[in-house]
Amino acid sequence: MSPRPVAWKTRRDMDDELQEIYDELVRRNPGQEEFHQAVREVFDSLHPVIDHHPEFLRDGLIQRLLEPERQLMFRVPWADDDGEVHVNRGFRVEFNSALGPYKGGLRFHPSVDLGIMKFLAFEQTLKNALTGMPLGGAKGGSDFDPRGRSEAEVMRFCQSYMTELYRHLGEHTDVPAGDIGVGTRELGFLFGQYKRITNRYESGVLTGKGVGWGGAHVRSEATGYGAVFFLAEMLAVDQQSLDGRVCLVSGSGNVALHAIDKLQQLGARVVACSDSDGVAHDPDGIDIELLRRIKQVERGRVADYVDERDSATLEPAGSIWQLECDVAMPCATQNELDDDDATALVDHGCTAVVEGANMPTTAKGIDVLQKAGVAFAPGKAANCGGVATSALEMQQNASRDSWSFTHTEARLAEIMARVHQECRETAQECGANDDYVVGANVAGFQRVAAAMHAMGLI
Ligand code: NDP
């Protein structure tokens, strides 16, 4: 494609142009508020990139980057243990493959709809780019609610879901992993069905597999551990450490459990965790082994933890950010920390917020935290250790190799240090010192945009 001359643009022109693109996005994707929110946050960071690369405003590059390459929606019929038939909706949004095969988790939760899938797939695209690994971006899932379902029901649902999805997957095409409601058990059922239908033992088609059947050490731990490594890097900038820090971690699923574990390994005291029914407040520090048993073995609730732990009390759902802390890590779901929560955190002396979940802090919440000087790490940067370790799992599958826990954890720590450094340096280049939101958005965006630009009109 022959390059067209670059029109000279003022900042005002660029503001107007980005605003027009955003307005068009809202118009063409009605009701998808989380998707609008995720795009707005990125646009608010983009001026410095457009200043240096006016070509990104040509050839519709930004508009192309905002439109998923492919959006799949399909019927998932299954029968419960009483023989009653249910019909759920399955999704896979293959957002961008400029840097590698589509990559991103599957979420099973009743709140799942196309807008949530698109926000997650868009975030995933920039996050995966930020890792520096050869990964495109995607997200998938279903509005299926695994809560209260028997193991046999979950298996039948996973088999039905994969019976449609398998035709779109492949180790060089699209590689899902877990997310909310999808852990090693569900990935086992999904992988088993893929293997049956295709008659191929294609390990690299899914990540987050069990260690005994193609999974990588540290993949389960990676998102939570990685977020804590990122936090440790942030503190180290001011010659501080996690030792003795009081922390709040929302959620009690995969990301939260491993964040709590690593925080405590590094000397912090985590005094609360949660689920959608309540908050376990434990001033003595969460007993991670007890919590792990209740959540992972018994599939229980934080209320069960409080029942078994004398030092803990059960507080109302959503009240976790009202507690005192030095560090807060939202690790449950999107928009779980709003401006009122942020104000409470600031008033109670919180100095750092690190997102383990995807977009858990509202735009107003981020604004309150940043204006108060709280160090803030967006999920795009802080939780990218999960997908980065998925890329390590794909490497091991491709070479039919298996690395030790210690080696893989060291690789994860290196990756998080590199991502932290890149976010800082990019923010500085943009004149936005210490703003990890700008650093993460710009660094991720530049990598995807440059690849798309090089590949012509894709
Ligand atoms: P899990 O399903 O293992 O755990 C989710 C936790 O969050 C549960 O404690 C759940 O409580 C709580 N939760 C979920 N939805 C809500 C809600 N609407 N209101 C209140 N609490 C809620 O999921 P993960 O730990 O894997 O994922 C957590 C977050 O981290 C998500 O944002 C996910 O996208 C993100 N993430 C996950 C990665 C991974 O590797 N797993 C990678 C990168 C990001 P309850 O049981 O009551 O629903």
Side-chain angles (χ1 to χ4, degrees), residues 1 8 46 105 112 118 170 182 198 257 289 299 368 385 392 417:
M1 197 170 28
W8 184 82
L46 274 191
V112 163
K118 281 166 73 176
V182 179
T198 60
L257 275 176
E289 289 314 321
R299 295 190 177 269
V368 169
L392 301 182

Side-chain angles (χ1 to χ4, degrees), residues 234 237-238 370 373-378 420 423-429 431-439:
M234 287 167 79
V237 171
D238 295 324
Q370 289 188 324
V374 174
F376 177 80
H420 172 265
C423 289
R424 270 184 69 78
E425 284 172 8
T426 308
Q428 277 160 9
E429 282 161 19
N433 281 355
D434 300 331
D435 189 332
Y436 289 96
V437 177
V438 169

Side-chain angles (χ1 to χ4, degrees), residues 41-61:
E41 183 205 289
V42 172
F43 272 24
D44 286 343
S45 307
L46 274 191
H47 298 295
V49 191
I50 305 296
D51 270 340
H52 285 101
H53 297 281
E55 70 273 17
F56 290 163
L57 274 180
R58 281 184 285 138
D59 300 327
L61 194 141

Side-chain angles (χ1 to χ4, degrees), residues 227-228 230-232 234-235 240-250 259 263 268-272 320-321 323-331 337 345 348-355 374-375 377:
V228 176
F230 195 96
L231 166 63
M234 287 167 79
L235 295 174
Q240 294 179 13
S241 79
L242 274 163
D243 201 27
R245 301 272 167 168
V246 174
C247 305
L248 306 174
V249 176
S250 66
L263 283 165
R269 183 160 46 97
V270 181
V271 297
I320 190 166
W321 312 123
L323 299 169
E324 283 187 17
C325 70
D326 301 310
V327 173
M329 291 189 67
C331 295
L337 196 167
L345 286 172
H348 291 146
C350 174
T351 55
V353 173
V354 171
E355 295 187 330
V374 174

Side-chain angles (χ1 to χ4, degrees), residues 362-399:
T362 63
K364 283 186 182 166
I366 297 175
D367 203 40
V368 169
L369 295 170
Q370 289 188 324
K371 284 197 173 123
V374 174
F376 177 80
K380 216 173 272 136
N383 73 30
C384 76
V387 72
T389 308
S390 279
L392 301 182
E393 183 173 334
M394 290 161 77
Q395 283 180 32
Q396 290 167 74
N397 292 150
S399 58

Side-chain angles (χ1 to χ4, degrees), residues 7 16 21 49 71 84 97 104 124 127 129 151 272 278 296 353 355 367-368 396 402 458:
D16 289 349
I21 295 171
V49 191
Q71 305 178 55
E84 194 184 329
S97 61
Q124 192 82 45
K127 178 196 313 192
E151 185 141 325
Q296 292 186 323
V353 173
E355 295 187 330
D367 203 40
V368 169
Q396 290 167 74
S402 176
I458 59 163

Side-chain angles (χ1 to χ4, degrees), residues 107 179-181 219 223 252-255 275-276 301 331-332 357-358:
R107 175 177 292 191
D179 191 78
I180 291 179
R219 176 58 191 91
T223 308
S252 48
N254 174 281
V255 179
D275 59 27
S276 49
R301 314 289 301 159
C331 295
N358 284 313

